[in-house]
Amino acid sequence: MCIFLYIMIITMRKSPYLLLCLALIAAPAAFAQKAPLQFTDASETHLPGAVKKSLNSMDARAVDIDADGDLDLVLAMEFVKNIILINDGKGKFSDGSHRLPYLPAPITPKPYPYYPYGDTEDVAIADFDGDGDLDLLFVAEDNQTNEFYINEDRGYFINATERIPVTGTSNAVITRDFDSDGLPDVIIGNNGQNVYLRNAGKGQFLNETDKRLPIREDITQDLDVFDFDSDGDLDLIVGNELENYLLENDGKGNFKDITTSFIAPELQAQGGESRDVNFADIDGDGQADLFFANVFLFQKQMPIQRMLMRRGNSFVDETQQRLGFTSTHSVLDANFADFDADGDLDLVMVTFEQPRLYLNDGKGFFQDITAQTFAAEFRAMGMSVEVADFNADGLPDIYFANFRGPDKLFLQQPVNN
């Protein structure tokens, strides 16, 4: 072995190309040295019957909704009452949906089959009224009716939907303090014009779309924010069924389209519709990269995934070399998190067939460890994936919100190296 290494070192001095090849060959060794991650399917023992049914869970968000120090779950549900899952502190959840008011059904006959509940697609969670607890804003698609709930006491809510001055065919919502006034504002992604709601205080909203967002008709499926230009405010990536676009915040909540300055037209969404978009520092260089999770659904295009790396003043498509595939899967949602505690961002995704988990080598190259992590028989069409330490053991766990099937909770187990 020593003689072999000596010969290789002498050879590499004369051949930088060989050195590069050896580095690429050796790269998987970094993965091989890590013990495989271990997850236990705790769904049967840790989830209540409310999410074991064959329902349509569209979005899942982990928050401490009852202010007891652990992470609960809020679920946006399609065609039924939205769900709150209350954590006992050890990752075991009970059905807390009674904390949301039951909606009256005064209209007969029903205006749509699932009336009075809606086609809820997404939820935004923040202290909208400034009283120190978390409120909920659900947005809906088919029935075009938002649901706004004010937290009255440790996770018990009243209906305040009348405070939301807009309706629409909505698939996405995000909340942040976009105008730097200390109050969480809201942007809603629609089939049509997206909407900007400025928080005027105490959970009252003003529709200021015309002066804050570009006026354009899209079919928006997802929104994500990041301080893209490092100027201290939050910029916005808009994920659409057609072209995605990048919006720059002026610091006062006014957004300008800067897409063409950074993203080539052929990379915006060509090849499938974007169901999920993410800002993330994939390669650890301190700059925000982009990941577009694309699906084969309404637009009937081949779902070509886009892992776009920030290179100066532009994004470069490096999907194939970093992720290992571009069009093998339809991806409905993705979440970046450091699963193996090595300081970089790994990637979990949900597809039409099953979830997939990828480890980052620290430089933004991913290895598929799905087969070693999840049982082959775990098949589900996931709509949303949420990563959080649900049982307070210091390890990130995974909640899969599924379509036409039960949700799943996977708790990560300590690995003995």
Side-chain angles (χ1 to χ4, degrees):
M1 178 64 71
C2 293
I3 295 174
F4 173 77
L5 289 175
Y6 176 77
I7 293 172
M8 294 306 296
I9 291 169
I10 296 299
T11 306
M12 287 186 292
R13 289 176 180 172
K14 298 179 180 180
S15 176
Y17 176 74
L18 179 57
L19 178 60
L20 175 61
C21 292
L22 286 172
L24 292 174
I25 293 171
F31 291 117
Q33 293 171 3
K34 298 177 182 178
L37 298 182
Q38 297 176 5
F39 286 86
T40 296
D41 184 352
S43 309
E44 190 59 36
T45 57
H46 285 58
L47 294 181
V51 292
K52 293 179 182 178
K53 304 174 184 178
S54 185
L55 299 175
N56 296 343
S57 299
M58 304 304 292
D59 188 42
R61 299 293 170 94
V63 292
D64 183 6
I65 206 70
D66 56 358
D68 66 349
D70 54 44
L71 290 173
D72 311 300
L73 281 160
V74 177
L75 306 179
M77 304 297 297
E78 194 174 57
F79 310 141
V80 297
K81 189 175 189 283
N82 295 312
I83 290 176
I84 294 176
L85 299 181
I86 297 298
N87 193 341
D88 70 351
K90 298 179 181 179
K92 189 171 184 178
F93 293 89
S94 59
D95 185 0
S97 303
H98 61 281
R99 294 166 176 264
L100 291 172
Y102 289 86
L103 299 181
I107 300 175
T108 303
K110 295 180 178 181
Y112 48 87
Y114 35 90
Y115 176 82
Y117 296 104
D119 181 16
T120 305
E121 299 287 326
D122 201 2
V123 59
I125 305 172
D127 181 10
F128 292 114
D129 59 356
D131 65 351
D133 51 35
L134 295 172
D135 311 302
L136 307 175
L137 172 59
F138 296 91
V139 296
E141 186 179 23
D142 290 352
N143 63 307
Q144 301 185 343
T145 303
N146 303 310
E147 298 175 30
F148 184 46
Y149 298 107
I150 293 294
N151 193 337
E152 282 287 276
D153 179 33
R154 297 180 67 83
Y156 287 84
F157 296 85
I158 62 170
N159 193 344
T161 296
E162 73 281 355
R163 299 189 191 187
I164 304 301
V166 295
T167 60
T169 304
S170 307
N171 280 292
V173 61
I174 197 164
T175 179
R176 296 290 192 281
D177 179 13
F178 293 113
D179 57 3
S180 305
D181 67 351
L183 301 174
D185 310 300
V186 170
I187 296 176
I188 300 175
N190 290 327
N191 184 340
Q193 172 64 46
N194 293 338
V195 169
Y196 185 108
L197 300 180
R198 181 175 70 83
N199 191 337
K202 297 184 179 181
Q204 303 291 336
F205 294 93
L206 300 175
N207 183 0
E208 297 189 352
T209 302
D210 290 350
K211 65 180 182 181
R212 294 186 180 273
L213 292 180
I215 303 303
R216 56 181 287 172
E217 298 284 313
D218 288 299
I219 308 176
T220 297
Q221 293 286 353
D222 196 33
L223 304 162
D224 198 19
V225 295
F226 192 84
D227 184 6
F228 170 78
D229 50 8
S230 302
D231 64 351
D233 55 49
L234 291 172
D235 309 299
L236 184 71
I237 186 71
V238 181
N240 293 319
E241 288 190 12
L242 297 173
E243 292 184 348
N244 300 332
Y245 57 96
L246 180 64
L247 300 181
E248 182 182 41
N249 189 347
D250 69 353
K252 298 179 181 180
N254 305 305
F255 289 88
K256 178 177 68 174
D257 190 341
I258 58 170
T259 310
T260 56
S261 299
F262 292 91
I263 305 175
E266 65 271 17
L267 300 181
Q268 288 182 40
Q270 180 182 350
E273 58 202 75
S274 291
R275 184 79 192 191
D276 178 70
V277 291
N278 284 276
F279 277 117
D281 182 5
I282 292 170
D283 57 357
D285 66 353
Q287 298 188 98
D289 308 301
L290 282 169
F291 181 62
F292 297 160
N294 294 331
V295 298
F296 181 91
L297 203 56
F298 301 112
Q299 299 302 323
K300 306 303 180 185
Q301 297 184 51
M302 177 67 72
I304 299 175
Q305 310 308 320
R306 300 290 187 190
M307 187 166 279
L308 305 180
M309 310 304 294
R310 179 77 179 271
R311 298 290 178 254
N313 288 327
S314 64
F315 286 94
V316 177
D317 187 358
E318 298 182 3
T319 313
Q320 179 62 55
Q321 55 266 51
R322 291 183 177 275
L323 191 55
F325 72 92
T326 57
S327 58
T328 307
H329 308 287
S330 275
V331 182
L332 292 105
D333 193 30
N335 206 323
F336 287 89
D338 186 5
F339 286 103
D340 53 0
D342 63 352
D344 54 45
L345 292 176
D346 308 304
L347 176 62
V348 60
M349 304 187 301
V350 289
T351 73
F352 283 134
E353 300 85 21
Q354 66 177 137
R356 308 202 68 84
L357 185 59
Y358 297 81
L359 283 189
N360 190 334
D361 71 348
K363 298 180 180 179
F365 294 90
F366 292 85
Q367 181 192 34
D368 186 349
I369 62 166
T370 305
Q372 302 98 287
T373 308
F374 302 118
E377 60 269 19
F378 175 31
R379 314 288 289 183
M381 180 179 174
M383 297 302 298
S384 177
V385 54
E386 186 73 341
V387 179
D389 180 10
F390 292 115
N391 57 357
D393 65 352
L395 301 173
D397 310 303
I398 308 176
Y399 187 89
F400 294 108
N402 295 323
F403 191 77
R404 295 179 183 172
D407 290 358
K408 293 290 183 178
L409 173 66
F410 281 79
L411 299 177
Q412 188 175 170
Q413 304 302 310
V415 175
N416 296 320
N417 291 310

